[in-house]
Each structure stands twice: as structure tokens, then as C-alpha cells.
Amino acid sequence: MKKKLAVLHTTVVLSFSSVLATPLVGHAETIQDMQTKKSSIQKERENVKQSIQATKEKITAAKGEKEKILEQIKRLYLAIAQNTAKVKETEEQIKDKQTAISNLEAEVSDLEEKMENRKGILEERARSFQENGGSLSYLQVLLGASSFSDFIDRADAVNTIAEADEQILKQTKKDQNILEKKQKTVKKRLDELTDIKAELTEMMSGLTEQKAHQDALMKQANLTEAENNRLKAELQQKDGTLATQETQIQQNIEAEVKRQEEARKEAERKREEARKAAEKAAAEKAAAEKEASAKAKRSQDTTSQSQDPSTSSNVSLPDDTSTPTGSAADVVTVGNRWIGNSAYVFGGGRNQSDIANGLFDCSSFVHWAYSQVGIKLGPLGWVSTETLKHEGRQVSVSDMKPGDLVFFDTYKKDGHVGIYVGNHKFIGAQSAGVSIADMNSNYWSSHFNGRVVRIIN
């Protein structure tokens, strides 16, 4: 999820290890600080965007799940409706069968009454048969029956029964068979309907439970979707806030780059004015010397002690090529000439043109300052904070004295260097040019890493 952010800075030169930006008067943050914040915000936005995408996928999945649940609920509603109709239909059929059974029972009652009447007739006929000379065994057979059905069976088995009696028995047997078949059919169908109703009732209970389960799933899916929508809205709002911050920081960076460029141009303008003024002064001085020389030649004074105008005119402050003294006191003050008329250039100060125009970075300024007192700190073209920290010897902060090199962790470890001048101050090439900075200030005290290197004992 983490991506590299390419940071554009108009003054970055990767071949040198020096300070990118240091505090400016009236500016709390350096360009490097703002770039770091911007990079952090961009990474955070990337994380937020990925979270938004993941949340959208969850919302889509939740919607798909809801559609499935809804389809299942629809199917359950349909099944319940059909099952309810079937239950009602079965209940109606059960009622019909129960009515049929009631009617059949009435028929059975009538038939049994008729059969009792027929039994009486048969018994009467049997007695008459006996009185008219019939076999005694026939009467004993009939009257010895244990039940009406047994009586019918016995009478049917006797071959001496009269034709009329035989007809009554056949009809009675037929009615009895029809009755038994009706009873079995109705009872069987009633049992089937009762089983169907029980099965439908159980099915209805299962469908109701399934619907309750699907309703619970739908409720949870709605809650999940609502929560994901709320989270997506919060993430989108956060991304919008971060985007606004990123835009503001970029505007601040562009404004600071523009301000530094204007400051650099202003410094160059002032140096150009100073150069032209120096050239003008030199020209005026040369003209004055030429005029003085001409007057001297015209003079009749041939004394050997007459003063050469060109020699007397050289009474001035020594320039940078004067004989170095090599003292710590000199190295902490030699750079004062550049205060207010120099500019910070990343990788600058490594050729005579830059030095002549006061264009330094921190390490090249330290190299130049020590060269003015006769101490060479390695090749000018390769000087950096990394090479300077290995010059001389390292001493403790408590033993720090003017002339020592002090190092700071800015855009990297030991990214900035200056010359300690005493009273917790140091001189160096800062972002506003050569200046004296207070090591007790919030910025420098938080970046001072405790490395102190002594060049001059």
C-alpha cells in the first residue's frame, strides 16, 4: 500500500551532502519540513483511498448478499402462502370426510336395524320350519350362534334353507360388504388427510423459522451496509481534508521557493551594485593615482624620499589573500564580510566565481573560512559535511570553544555544519546566506546532534 513520493525541489543537487533548507526569519518551516509533511499526507491519503475502496467492495458484497436474502425471503413467502392454502384445502377435505363418516355411520345404524329385523324374520322362519317337520339340527345351528355375523355364517352354510331366506341372507351379506368397504375407504382417506395436514403443519413451522432466520440476516446486512456507508463517508471526508492540506502545503512550498528565488536575485543585484561601485571606486582611484603621478613627474623636487602615490594609496584593509594567522579568533570573524551580502546555494562555493559572488552552502563556507587563515580542509571541489566531520578531532560539547565545527541533523545525519563563535552561537551559510545563528533557538537546539570537531588546537 505504501508508494514512493518523488519530491521536486529546484535547488537539489544529489552529488553534495549539505543542508537543503534551514529556518528563515519569519518562516517557521523549511521547504524540507513542508515536503516531509506533504509526503506524509500523500501516504495517508493513499491509505485512506485504499480503505475507501475496501469499504466500497464490502458495500457491494453486502448488497449482493441482501439481494440473495431478499430472493430467499420471496421464495419463503410464496411457499408459506401455498402451504397455507394447502392446509386450508386439506382442512376442508378433512371436514368433508368427517361429514361423510358421520353420514356413513347413520347408514350403518340403519343397516344394522334392518339386519336385526332380518334376523328376527329368519329366526321366525326357522321355528316354523321346525314345527313343520324340519331337522332339529338346523335350529340348533342357527340359535347356537355367538353373534349376528356368526348367525349369518351358520345359516349360509346350511343347504336346507328356503329360497326366500337365502335371498335375504345374500342381500344382508352384500350390504355388509359394501358397508365395510365404505368404512375402510373413508377411514383410509381421513388418515391420509390427517397425515398430510400434520406434514403441512410441520412444513409451515419450518418455513416460518427459515423466514425468521432470513429476516435476521437481512437486518444484520442492513446494519452492516449502513455502517460501511457511514465509514465510507467518514473516509471520504478525511480524504477531502487531507487533499486540502496537501494543496495548501504545495502552495506554501511554491511560495517559499519563489521567496527564496527573489531573495537570491536581490542578493545578486546588491552584489552587482557593490561590484560596480567597487569598479567605479577603483577607476576613480586609478585616475587619481595617474593624476598624482603626472604631477610628481612635473615636480622639480628630486628628493629620493618622495612618496610613490601608488604605494601610499594601498593603505587599506587586507584582502582575502593576506598572510593567514591561523588562529581560532580569525576563523570566527573572517566570514563576517559576507553577512548581508551573500546567498545560500546548494552545492555553491566550490569555484572562484561562486566565492567572488558570495554564493556558498554550509560546507563550502567552512572550507573557505579556514582557507583564509591558512588551513586547507581537503579539496574544495569535494568538500561536504561528511568530509568535514572527519577533519581534526572530536571533542565534547562541554569543551566546545570558538573555532570548533558544530554539526546538526537536518535533512540527514550531520546534514548541516557551522563554526562556533561563542555564547552558544555559530556562523555558517544558512538559507538566508552567511549569518550568525543562536544554538538555543527552538530549531537549532532540536537539531544539534552534539558532534563538535576541533580543527585549531
Side-chain angles (χ1 to χ4, degrees):
M1 186 170 71
K2 293 186 177 179
K3 299 179 180 178
K4 294 183 179 179
L5 178 66
V7 180
L8 178 61
H9 191 290
T10 55
T11 58
V12 171
V13 180
L14 296 179
S15 58
F16 299 100
S17 56
S18 184
V19 176
L20 176 63
T22 51
L24 306 171
V25 178
H27 294 267
E29 289 184 313
T30 65
I31 293 176
Q32 181 65 31
D33 291 335
M34 289 186 284
Q35 290 282 18
T36 300
K37 282 187 177 181
K38 179 182 175 183
S39 177
S40 176
I41 289 175
Q42 288 175 327
K43 289 179 179 178
E44 188 173 358
R45 284 195 70 194
E46 185 63 27
N47 292 338
V48 170
K49 287 179 179 178
Q50 291 189 2
S51 296
I52 291 174
Q53 181 59 34
T55 304
K56 287 181 178 178
E57 292 174 358
K58 289 180 180 179
I59 291 173
T60 301
K63 286 182 178 179
E65 187 64 25
K66 282 177 61 179
E67 290 176 358
K68 292 180 181 178
I69 294 171
L70 186 59
E71 287 298 320
Q72 181 62 14
I73 290 176
K74 289 179 180 178
R75 284 190 288 269
L76 290 172
Y77 270 121
L78 180 61
I80 289 172
Q82 293 179 352
N83 192 59
T84 301
K86 189 65 176 177
V87 169
K88 290 182 179 179
E89 179 184 349
T90 303
E91 288 176 345
E92 291 296 327
Q93 291 178 356
I94 289 174
K95 289 180 181 179
D96 292 341
K97 292 304 175 185
Q98 288 173 340
T99 301
I101 290 174
S102 297
N103 294 334
L104 187 57
E105 288 174 348
E107 291 179 14
V108 170
S109 178
D110 291 341
L111 185 57
E112 286 178 346
E113 185 179 350
K114 291 178 181 179
M115 290 174 69
E116 283 293 331
N117 292 334
R118 289 172 183 173
K119 178 182 178 183
I121 294 172
L122 290 173
E123 288 177 348
E124 183 62 30
R125 288 183 178 182
R127 288 189 184 96
S128 296
F129 181 76
Q130 179 63 32
E131 291 173 355
N132 292 322
S135 174
L136 178 63
S137 61
Y138 174 71
L139 181 60
Q140 289 175 339
V141 170
L142 292 176
L143 297 179
S146 61
S147 66
F148 181 72
S149 296
D150 187 27
F151 174 85
I152 297 299
D153 291 338
R154 290 187 183 207
D156 190 51
V158 178
N159 295 324
T160 59
I161 193 167
E163 182 66 27
D165 295 336
E166 184 179 357
Q167 192 64 32
I168 293 174
L169 289 172
K170 287 182 178 180
Q171 184 63 43
T172 301
K173 189 67 174 178
K174 182 180 178 181
D175 291 342
Q176 185 180 19
N177 290 335
I178 292 172
L179 179 62
E180 289 176 353
K181 287 181 180 179
K182 285 185 177 181
Q183 285 178 324
K184 287 181 181 179
T185 300
V186 173
K187 180 65 168 60
K188 182 180 179 182
R189 183 55 181 162
L190 181 60
D191 290 342
E192 289 176 354
L193 291 172
T194 302
D195 291 340
I196 290 173
K197 180 181 178 183
E199 184 177 355
L200 289 171
T201 301
E202 184 177 353
M203 188 185 301
M204 181 73 77
S205 177
L207 291 171
T208 303
E209 289 180 0
Q210 289 183 48
K211 181 180 177 300
H213 178 66
Q214 295 298 323
D215 287 342
L217 291 178
M218 179 62 76
K219 181 178 180 181
Q220 182 59 46
N222 286 331
L223 291 174
T224 300
E225 183 179 17
E227 176 61 21
N228 285 328
N229 282 325
R230 183 193 63 77
L231 179 59
K232 183 183 76 171
E234 289 182 355
L235 289 171
Q236 289 175 334
Q237 183 178 5
K238 183 176 182 181
D239 182 58
T241 300
L242 291 172
T244 300
Q245 293 176 356
E246 181 182 352
T247 300
Q248 184 60 53
I249 290 175
Q250 181 60 35
Q251 291 174 350
N252 292 342
I253 290 174
E254 293 172 356
E256 180 62 13
V257 170
K258 181 179 179 181
R259 190 198 65 78
Q260 290 189 10
E261 179 62 18
E262 291 175 350
R264 185 188 66 78
K265 290 181 179 179
E266 178 64 16
E268 289 180 353
R269 185 187 66 78
K270 289 182 178 180
R271 284 194 299 274
E272 181 64 17
E273 289 178 352
R275 183 186 65 77
K276 289 181 179 179
E279 288 178 353
K280 181 179 179 181
E284 291 176 350
K285 178 180 178 182
E289 290 178 349
K290 183 177 180 180
E291 179 64 22
S293 177
K295 288 181 179 181
K297 287 180 180 181
R298 290 193 299 269
S299 175
Q300 297 300 319
D301 187 0
T302 59
T303 177
S304 61
Q305 295 181 353
S306 65
Q307 187 176 16
D308 188 333
S310 62
T311 301
S312 62
S313 64
N314 286 333
V315 180
S316 61
L317 292 176
D319 59 16
D320 293 338
T321 60
S322 60
T323 303
T325 63
S327 68
D330 290 333
V331 81
V332 300
T333 58
V334 71
N336 290 347
R337 59 172 289 186
W338 295 116
I339 295 177
N341 63 349
S342 60
Y344 179 90
V345 176
F346 196 98
R350 287 167 175 78
N351 56 63
Q352 292 305 315
S353 175
D354 281 357
I355 294 173
N357 289 291
L359 306 179
F360 297 98
D361 65 12
C362 63
S363 53
S364 66
F365 172 76
V366 170
H367 186 282
W368 174 85
Y370 271 90
S371 71
Q372 300 309 295
V373 297
I375 298 175
K376 302 297 182 182
L377 300 179
L380 175 61
W382 296 99
V383 65
S384 67
T385 55
E386 193 66 23
T387 63
L388 290 177
K389 74 180 185 181
H390 297 297
E391 296 287 345
R393 62 186 178 88
Q394 190 165 337
V395 298
S396 65
V397 176
S398 61
D399 189 35
M400 187 166 53
K401 67 180 184 179
D404 291 342
L405 303 187
V406 287
F407 290 80
F408 303 84
D409 293 341
T410 51
Y411 73 102
K412 70 168 189 173
K413 179 72 174 175
D414 298 315
H416 188 67
V417 64
I419 302 172
Y420 185 64
V421 299
N423 294 324
H424 299 286
K425 291 180 173 57
F426 73 96
I427 188 171
Q430 333 297 9
S431 59
V434 176
S435 61
I436 295 177
D438 188 351
M439 295 176 66
N440 288 331
S441 68
N442 290 337
Y443 180 83
W444 293 114
S445 63
S446 63
H447 288 74
F448 179 51
N449 62 17
R451 185 186 297 278
V452 180
V453 173
R454 181 160 296 165
I455 305 298
I456 302 175
N457 293 321

